């Protein structure tokens, strides 16, 4: 039987605001006509502050992974040496893409649940001075770690000419990134996480130095050739068929972000993060990631007194609360809570209250009401500072 009351709190896909759903239901228009050009011209410049850049943000019809692949294929050629920070499933995906394109990949292996240290990248770069690109993930969705990408970029730029390329798929729209200021050369993202849309759009912000490399790169490419997207964007077009319904929705997403104000958007995500983490502590739920390394958009819990998959099953069956499980070797060991995009502190109080009931069902020991009370206290502390 189909349910219409699911509470989606995975780290992607995420809930879609009703106004965005209505926008996506607009009548279709010709994708090469004047209305489509006006739409793209209206959207493109408004993406820049979300990415922390004054440069163009390209829009590709594709998943977030297409943006990762585009960043690889446009900046490298076979045999190039690259460094990839691997601290979870999506860092590993970046490395696999690089290996597929016959690059000489140097992996920085970081334990899952830990953030990379700037010194690790610096040391690796010094040992491999011929490195062309450094690839790393901002929010590692599989663990809930937030890597210090801005600090890494600043250090890389101080000691080398390598490009810094960042996967921001599960952070952009929910966490501030100062792309230009820190020296990040390419920052990519997708539509189905903090950007509050269905999957199907990829975003690629490209800096000046990266464009120089892209223009001179002899590697053949077709659909993901960023030169084509840059050229077509000037005329309010995309080189290939755009996902117009998603662009209608994106226009409304940008309206919502601007209405709230980006500073408040980022603050809201920090508040939800602290509410969730404080509640987990009060409920005796071990957190996978330290406070220092924790993401503002996803929290991972590694239970000891019950099975993670059993909690997810009961929460889904009894309350329609959908949480994410672990990936790869952490499958069955952790569960993940997404708190990003169309999510508010009220939603945190809701899912923490549900978790308390589920934990009781599973025989987990805690003080009833402690999780909700801790989340409330965290909220009051955050809002008192405003």
């Amino acid at each position: 039987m189909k349910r219409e009351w699911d509470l989606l709190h995975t780290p992607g896909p995420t809930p879609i605001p009703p106004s965005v759903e209505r926008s996506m239901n607009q009548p279709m228009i010709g994708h090469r006509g004047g209305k489509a050009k006006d739409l793209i011209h209206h959207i493109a410049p408004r993406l820049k502050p979300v990415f922390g850049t004054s440069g163009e943000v390209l829009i590709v019809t594709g998943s977030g992974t297409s943006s990762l692949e585009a960043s690889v294929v446009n900046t490298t050629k076979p045999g190039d040496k690259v460094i990839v920070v691997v601290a979870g499933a999506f860092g590993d995906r970046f490395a696999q893409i690089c290996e597929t394109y016959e690059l000489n990949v140097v992996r920085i292996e970081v334990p899952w649940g830990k953030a990379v240290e700037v010194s690790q990248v610096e040391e690796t770069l010094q040992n491999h001075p011929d490195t062309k690109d450094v690839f790393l993930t901002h929010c590692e969705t599989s663990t809930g770690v937030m890597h210090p990408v801005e600090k890494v970029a600043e250090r890389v730029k101080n000691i080398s000419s390598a490009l810094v390329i960042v996967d921001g798929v599960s952070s952009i729209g929910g966490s501030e990134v100062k792309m230009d200021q820190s020296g990040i050369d390419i920052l990519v993202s997708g539509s189905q996480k903090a950007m509050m849309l269905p999957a199907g759009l990829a975003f690629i912000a490209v800096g000046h130095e990266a464009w120089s490399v892209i223009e001179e790169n002899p590697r053949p490419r077709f659909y993901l050739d960023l030169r084509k997207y840059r050229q077509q964007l000037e005329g309010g077009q995309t080189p290939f068929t755009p996902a117009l319904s998603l662009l209608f929705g994106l226009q409304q997403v940008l309206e919502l972000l601007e209405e709230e104000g980006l500073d408040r958007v980022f603050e809201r995500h920090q508040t939800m993060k602290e509410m969730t983490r404080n509640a987990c502590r009060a409920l005796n739920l071990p957190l996978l990631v330290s406070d220092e390394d924790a993401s503002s958009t996803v929290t991972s819990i590694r239970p000891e007194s019950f099975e993670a998959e059993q909690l997810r099953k009961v929460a889904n069956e009894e309350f329609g609360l959908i949480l994410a499980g672990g990936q790869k070797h952490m499958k069955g060991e952790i569960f993940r809570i997404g708190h990003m995009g169309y999510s508010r502190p009220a939603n945190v109080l809701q899912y923490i209250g549900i978790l308390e009931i589920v934990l009781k069902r599973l025989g987990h020991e805690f003080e009833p009401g402690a999780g909700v009370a801790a989340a409330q206290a965290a909220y009051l502390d955050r809002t008192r500072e405003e």
Side-chain angles (χ1 to χ4, degrees):
M1 179 178 178
K2 182 180 179 182
R3 296 187 312 211
E4 296 185 358
W5 43 270
D6 281 341
L7 305 172
L8 185 63
H9 280 286
T10 67
T14 62
I16 300 169
S19 64
V20 175
E21 291 181 337
R22 291 192 295 269
S23 294
M24 290 191 295
N25 284 331
Q26 293 181 55
M28 191 49 57
I29 60 177
H31 70 277
R32 296 303 181 205
K35 290 183 180 180
K37 292 179 182 179
D38 290 343
L39 176 64
I40 293 172
H41 275 312
H42 189 56
I43 289 171
R46 299 163 71 193
L47 284 167
K48 296 179 183 182
V50 180
F51 283 75
T53 184
S54 59
E56 298 295 346
V57 181
L58 308 177
I59 304 171
V60 177
T61 300
S63 69
T65 301
S66 72
S67 68
L68 304 183
E69 185 161 342
S71 70
V72 173
V73 73
N74 280 273
T75 62
T76 65
K77 59 185 184 299
D80 281 351
K81 180 177 287 185
V82 299
I83 293 171
V84 184
V85 175
V86 180
F90 293 94
D92 183 63
R93 180 171 297 183
F94 236 154
Q96 289 184 57
I97 294 170
C98 290
E99 289 162 354
T100 298
Y101 282 97
E102 301 178 326
L103 303 182
N104 181 0
V105 178
V106 178
R107 292 180 176 230
I108 300 178
E109 297 284 357
V110 181
W112 285 40
K114 301 289 185 182
V116 70
E117 295 180 7
V118 177
S119 59
Q120 291 177 276
V121 179
E122 180 177 7
E123 181 180 355
T124 305
L125 197 53
Q126 289 172 340
N127 291 334
H128 300 276
D130 53 342
T131 296
K132 300 294 185 182
D133 294 355
V134 176
F135 294 93
L136 70 161
T137 308
H138 188 205
C139 172
E140 176 51 70
T141 321
S142 64
T143 61
V145 162
M146 193 76 86
H147 291 289
V149 293
E150 293 172 328
K151 292 180 180 179
V152 169
E154 290 169 356
R155 191 61 190 140
V156 169
K157 290 303 178 184
N158 284 337
I159 63 175
S160 80
S161 60
L163 296 182
V164 178
I165 299 173
V166 174
D167 165 7
V169 171
S170 63
S171 62
I172 294 300
S175 181
E176 183 177 26
V177 182
K178 298 176 181 177
M179 177 179 170
D180 290 355
Q181 185 175 321
S182 63
I184 294 171
D185 294 290
I186 297 180
L187 177 60
V188 306
S189 192
S191 56
Q192 79 277 17
K193 296 183 184 284
M195 291 301 286
M196 301 186 287
L197 287 163
L201 292 181
F203 309 108
I204 306 170
V206 185
H208 178 72
E209 288 185 30
W211 276 123
S212 297
V213 172
I214 291 168
E215 293 288 353
E216 297 173 3
N217 185 11
R219 185 198 288 275
R221 58 265 201 203
F222 188 77
Y223 186 77
L224 296 177
D225 188 343
L226 297 184
R227 296 169 298 184
K228 296 176 181 177
Y229 287 88
R230 184 189 198 186
Q231 181 180 10
Q232 291 292 316
L233 186 61
E234 295 175 0
Q237 293 276 284
T238 56
F240 309 102
T241 306
L244 284 170
S245 294
L246 292 176
L247 294 183
F248 289 146
L250 177 58
Q251 181 173 231
Q252 179 59 22
V253 166
L254 294 170
E255 293 281 352
L256 294 175
L257 294 177
E258 290 163 4
E259 181 180 344
E260 185 176 357
L262 284 176
D263 288 345
R264 287 187 174 275
V265 170
F266 302 145
E267 176 66 21
R268 168 166 54 83
H269 282 79
Q270 286 292 329
T271 297
M272 293 189 293
K273 160 192 167 181
E274 293 194 14
M275 291 174 68
T276 302
R277 292 179 65 81
N278 284 9
C280 287
R281 291 192 188 92
L283 295 173
N284 300 321
L285 293 175
L287 294 161
L288 178 66
V289 182
S290 69
D291 287 346
E292 182 181 6
D293 295 346
S295 165
S296 60
T297 57
V298 54
T299 296
S300 293
I301 296 97
R302 192 177 210 166
E304 297 172 350
S305 65
F306 58 86
E307 297 292 331
E309 291 304 296
Q310 184 65 16
L311 177 137
R312 293 179 61 223
K313 181 176 184 292
V314 175
N316 187 3
E317 290 179 351
E318 190 162 350
F319 292 97
L321 174 60
I322 302 176
L323 306 173
Q327 295 179 297
K328 296 196 174 183
H329 69 276
M330 283 195 166
K331 185 176 179 63
E333 291 189 17
I334 65 172
F335 65 93
R336 296 174 293 148
I337 304 172
H339 36 80
M340 68 178 85
Y342 186 52
S343 186
R344 296 291 186 273
N347 301 111
V348 178
L349 295 174
Q350 181 185 43
Y351 64 64
I352 294 300
I354 292 172
L355 282 179
E356 290 205 18
I357 296 174
V358 174
L359 291 171
K360 281 295 181 185
R361 293 268 195 261
L362 298 178
H364 181 68
E365 294 186 3
F366 65 95
E367 183 68 28
V372 172
Q376 291 172 333
Y379 176 79
L380 289 170
D381 286 343
R382 297 285 303 183
T383 54
R384 192 176 293 123
E385 296 172 1
E386 293 181 359

